Structure formats: C-alpha cells, structure tokens
Amino acid sequence: MPDEIQERAGVQVLVCDPAGPTVATEQDALDLVGAAFLGAQVVAVPANRLDERFFSLGTRFAGDVMQKFVNYRLRLAVVGDISAQLAESSALRALVQESNQGGHIWFLPDLDALDARLRAAQ
C-alpha cells in the first residue's frame, strides 16, 4: 500500500506504508510533512521506517525530525514495536514517556492504539 491519507477516529491521518522508504534524513521527514499538507493533521510512521539513528538519541536525529513536525503543527505518531530500542536506552524510555504525555509526538504499538489516542484527544 502506498502512503495514504485516511480518516481515523474523525481525524485525517497520513498512514505511511511499512514497506516505504526509510526516513534517514531531515529531508525525508520534510517530504512526509509535505505529503501531509494534502490534508492530514497526523502522520503515522511505522517504526521500522525510521533509521536506527532515530532511536539513538546521541545522534540528535530524533530531535531534529520531531522538531520538524512541531514546527509545521503536525502530530507525529511512531507506530510499531520499539521494545528492543527501549530496552537499550533509558534516555529513549524517558523521551517516549514524556512524548506520550503531550499532544504532538506519540509512540504507539499499532494503529488501533492511534485510533484510541485520537478519540481521547477530541
């Protein structure tokens, strides 16, 4: 399936294809932002599409990507199992916990969890 805008829990979401290209640069993140400007309020990116540097906070790549979404007033949902990455980094665990308490960046296990989060945010 290609990346596509879907209505999920009454919100327009750009749901990214798990088999799509890796988000490995800030430009890749901006490309998703641009695609979302076709009408989405949220971008749901499968965790497996994010370059491993995203989960290694010392690279600052996660912060750069997340800041792009915040700057453009788009919500970012990282969707998928990141338990292996969380087990390796207390800093990442703290980031995920803090992000999930806010309204802009969420780390969720699946699209059903995203739907529940969107319903709760309305």
Side-chain angles (χ1 to χ4, degrees):
M1 96 175 190
D3 296 354
E4 65 179 6
I5 295 179
Q6 301 175 0
E7 183 175 319
R8 303 191 69 89
V11 177
Q12 296 298 310
V13 178
L14 176 63
V15 178
C16 297
D17 181 357
T22 300
V23 177
T25 67
E26 287 183 53
Q27 185 59 53
D28 295 337
L30 286 172
D31 289 346
L32 291 176
V33 167
F37 269 50
L38 296 173
Q41 299 165 291
V42 179
V43 178
V45 179
N48 69 319
R49 277 200 45 189
L50 295 169
D51 186 90
E52 275 304 311
R53 292 177 303 122
F54 184 90
F55 300 103
S56 178
L57 298 186
T59 67
R60 302 171 72 183
F61 182 57
D64 292 341
V65 168
M66 293 180 346
Q67 191 62 49
K68 297 284 182 243
F69 284 88
V70 171
N71 288 348
Y72 287 96
R73 295 184 175 93
L74 286 169
R75 288 179 277 180
L76 171 64
V78 176
V79 179
D81 180 13
I82 61 168
S83 57
Q85 293 92 335
L86 291 173
E88 294 178 13
S89 172
S90 61
L92 181 61
R93 285 192 300 274
L95 173 72
V96 168
Q97 183 177 6
E98 184 176 331
S99 295
N100 282 345
Q101 292 174 5
H104 290 285
I105 312 291
W106 299 329
F107 293 82
L108 302 164
D110 53 38
L111 289 174
D112 290 337
L114 174 59
D115 293 345
R117 185 70 189 250
L118 291 170
R119 281 191 294 276
Q122 293 179 15

